Amino acid sequence: MKIKQRSGSLLFLMLTFFFIAAITQTNDHDKNSNKLVEAASDTVLKTPTTGEKLYSEACAACHGVSGKGVAQSQLGFATPVPDFSDCDFASREPDGDWIAVAHQGGPVRGFGKDMPAFGMALSEQELQQIMDHIRTLCRDDNWPRGELNLPRPLVTEKAYPEDEAVISTSVDMENEGSVMNELVYEQRFGARNQVEIVMPFGFRESPTGSWNGGQLGDMALGIKRAVYHNIDNGSIFSVTGEVIFPTGDRATGFGKGTTIFEPFVSFGQLLPANSFLHVQSGVELPVLRDKATEEAFWRAALGTSLTHGSWGRTWSPMVEVLGSREFESGAVNHWDIAPQVQVTLNKRQHIMMNVGVRIPADDASRDTQFMVYILWDWFDGGPFEGW
Ligand code: HEC
């Protein structure tokens, strides 16, 4: 009986002990989180929340006050931190992409999870303030901003100087068959310049029905310079000089048989509601005028970008209008229209695809063409990164 009573009171004592321990724990926890909330609201109430202040509180621990990134030895992880003060890198990334990374964390754009998500702690407006501050860390506005890098149409050339590789294919859908491919390699140099190399190759059906396979077309080399760009009014204007060399066989329809100079201007404009306009115009001036005719061309593409959810894939439907006219008496204007849609394929959004058709809009005998390209913005990572 006594033993029973004793063990009963022991049990009671133990329960009381655990109960008190549990209560004090909760109190400690509450105290801690209260302190955190107080500290946070102190920051919000007592200090004006400038982008710089928010950046130094939320980002500088890893990215450094100067934006160059804190030394690896102090970070405790191996993922290298990007350098926000490097204009060549920072200027080309649009705010929207970086806000997505800061809001959702690195993995939303195929980066490492060492870049944490701030969506719970900071509003999109605060992240925009931080971005505005990050923009001041690159001190040279000679570099065109990434917002001006509009989605690439199938035919019209962009004004923005790019680091990209594009493989495009156009397939004639009516008369004789033709599958022409074009490999375009573009590389920036300096803040505003770009060199591009174009290598066409393909297959063509002869009127007798046999196919000429795997032949090289006329290769081209071009230099582009963005002569004007302004993020405030959303415009960019470039001048390009291109030389097309007679590397293709004229007899089988793979080349023009003469060197052609092709100077052109291109213009890009951001429009309200994530819409955009490209305009390109130029002339083709063959050296041997009996082989190819002099011709003027003008092209425009109007499109808009739609994002899947808040941070997902970007779809950019566009319509291109393509005009040309030979410099000959009695020549007529040729018109094509090309509806198409570009879509980003991976999370990093540096691999894209565009699919469309190019339809003759005058009564010429040109074929309707199916067109497609795959684009790799190689500055942003390898082709298999960021999926
Ligand atoms: C805990 C450390 C840490 C903090 C804090 C941090 N970052 Fe990062 N951030 C990283 C790392 C590491 C990377 C590189 C990730 C990679 O390349 O996989 C990165 C990458 C980024 C990128 C991607 C840049 C690119 O390559 O396109 C952006 C944008 C970014 N951080 C913004 C921010 C902002 C804004 C803040 C503050 C709100 C912030 N980061 C706070 C560690 C951090």
Side-chain angles (χ1 to χ4, degrees), residues 58-59 62-63 77 79-80 82 84 89 98 101-102 111-112 114-116 118:
C59 320
C62 296
H63 288 284
F77 53 75
T79 319
F84 291 147
F89 157 71
W98 275 9
V101 168
F111 292 108
D114 290 324
M115 167 58 211
F118 289 88

Side-chain angles (χ1 to χ4, degrees), residues 276-288:
F276 55 87
L277 174 73
H278 295 272
V279 178
Q280 182 200 2
S281 183
V283 284
E284 285 192 4
L285 306 170
V287 172
L288 304 174

Side-chain angles (χ1 to χ4, degrees), residues 84-87 90-91 134-141 143:
F84 291 147
S85 70
D86 171 7
C87 300
S91 64
I134 290 179
R135 291 298 170 202
T136 65
L137 301 174
C138 146
R139 295 174 181 279
D140 181 358
D141 358 309
W143 296 81

